[in-house]
Amino acid sequence: MAPLRDIECFALVARHRSFSRAAAALALSQPAVSQAVARLERELGLRLFERTSREVAPTDAGAALLPHAEAVLEQAAVFAAEAARLAVPAPATIRLAYAPLAGGFAARVARRLAGRKPGVDLELVPAGWRAATDELTRGRAAAALMSAPFPPGFASAARFQVPLTHLALPAADRLSTAPVLTLDRAGRLLLPRGVPLPDGARLAPEPVDDPAVALDLVAAGRGTLPVPQLLVDTVRRPDVRFVPLAGPPPRLTFALVWSAATAGEDVMALVQAAQEALRR
């Protein structure tokens, strides 16, 4: 197999119809290019160029071989590029399952982690309580930003609370136009996990893993749902109304949850990023 440099010299001379212009393109001397073409001709046993005082033109054999030479050079360039890519270590990836209600905090954590560990790629996966627990226990997610109750056997940090300030009701409910409501007047209550049942309230059978998704149950008349201000501000749907709750609001507790037994350096950097994001 002829050296790639000799093939490259042949291709550039053929393309430029000039030894001097090919030499300039390759940052070589003209004699070096001439010697490379001569070596290739001896290797192949073929004359590749007709040389006159005015121009350099490929012979029939040179013209026939030129496309193949260019294909060889293209593949060599692809090979070199792929080798260079493989020589750079791929960024470490850790998976964070997060409750959609805590999406803003998850984004802050991601920015903090990017500043702390630029080589770590954080994959954000929205997940309700049941899905986040499954991601953790099966080891698919390194950590979860989720609401209480947290799965046993896992560590938690960066706890914060989200007050449930309004009650979501079906738009057709007679109470949907009330100026304020208490939970004991809410009818069947769709209660998010981790929120104690208020005195006098009636609990609907469906557990709520994700309040944003549970609005579909509200619209279907399956119950009423305490929600945070975030949903009141961002959700616009004609089949649901939000009424302010009277008295101290119930609260959802969130935290970053992870396995302390298997956590590596990158996961601990994620924990530190969450703690920093909570403080600032």
Side-chain angles (χ1 to χ4, degrees):
M1 176 67 183
L4 280 175
R5 175 47 63 94
D6 291 356
I7 296 174
E8 186 177 24
C9 288
F10 156 65
L12 281 178
V13 171
R15 195 176 302 148
H16 291 290
R17 300 294 184 100
S18 167
F19 280 88
S20 59
R21 287 196 293 270
L26 291 166
L28 294 174
S29 67
Q30 183 172 330
V33 173
S34 297
Q35 291 166 12
V37 171
R39 275 195 307 270
L40 185 59
E41 289 179 324
R42 288 194 301 272
E43 173 85 15
L44 299 176
L46 293 169
R47 186 170 181 79
L48 299 175
F49 294 104
E50 297 290 353
R51 301 165 177 82
T52 70
S53 59
R54 294 189 174 185
E55 65 174 357
V56 176
T59 62
D60 290 344
L65 287 175
L66 180 58
H68 300 289
E70 291 178 333
V72 168
L73 295 170
E74 182 178 351
Q75 287 301 310
V78 171
F79 175 86
E82 181 65 8
R85 184 188 69 80
L86 293 172
V88 178
T93 299
I94 55 176
R95 184 177 173 100
L96 173 65
Y98 71 94
L101 283 182
F105 183 66
R108 295 207 306 275
V109 172
R111 291 194 295 270
R112 287 278 174 186
L113 182 64
R116 175 181 285 275
K117 296 274 288 188
V120 175
D121 181 24
L122 183 64
E123 180 185 1
L124 295 173
V125 181
W129 185 92
R130 190 186 303 273
T133 300
D134 190 58
E135 288 275 334
L136 279 175
T137 55
R138 291 178 181 271
R140 290 194 298 259
L145 182 57
M146 62 185 297
S147 61
F150 308 126
F154 288 85
S156 63
R159 296 194 178 205
F160 63 96
Q161 292 188 325
V162 174
L164 305 177
T165 57
H166 288 68
L167 191 68
L169 303 95
D173 192 296
R174 61 183 179 80
L175 295 176
S176 66
T177 58
V180 68
L181 283 174
T182 55
L183 288 177
D184 58 358
R185 295 183 61 202
R188 290 199 313 167
L189 196 61
L190 293 159
L191 203 62
R193 293 180 187 270
V195 176
L197 180 65
D199 293 337
R202 292 188 296 118
L203 189 63
E206 294 89 349
V208 173
D209 288 335
D210 184 347
V213 174
L215 288 176
D216 292 336
L217 297 176
V218 173
R222 305 291 289 276
T224 61
L225 174 70
V227 297
Q229 186 68 46
L230 174 66
L231 289 187
V232 178
D233 293 339
T234 58
V235 173
R236 296 291 181 269
R237 49 188 302 173
D239 52 0
V240 173
R241 296 284 185 274
F242 300 107
V243 178
L245 281 171
R251 295 174 180 270
L252 275 175
T253 299
F254 289 88
L256 184 74
V257 182
W258 76 99
S259 172
T262 60
E265 179 183 339
D266 294 338
V267 173
M268 296 314 300
L270 175 65
V271 173
Q272 293 170 346
Q275 292 170 327
E276 290 177 359
L278 189 62
R279 290 196 296 266
R280 302 177 187 177

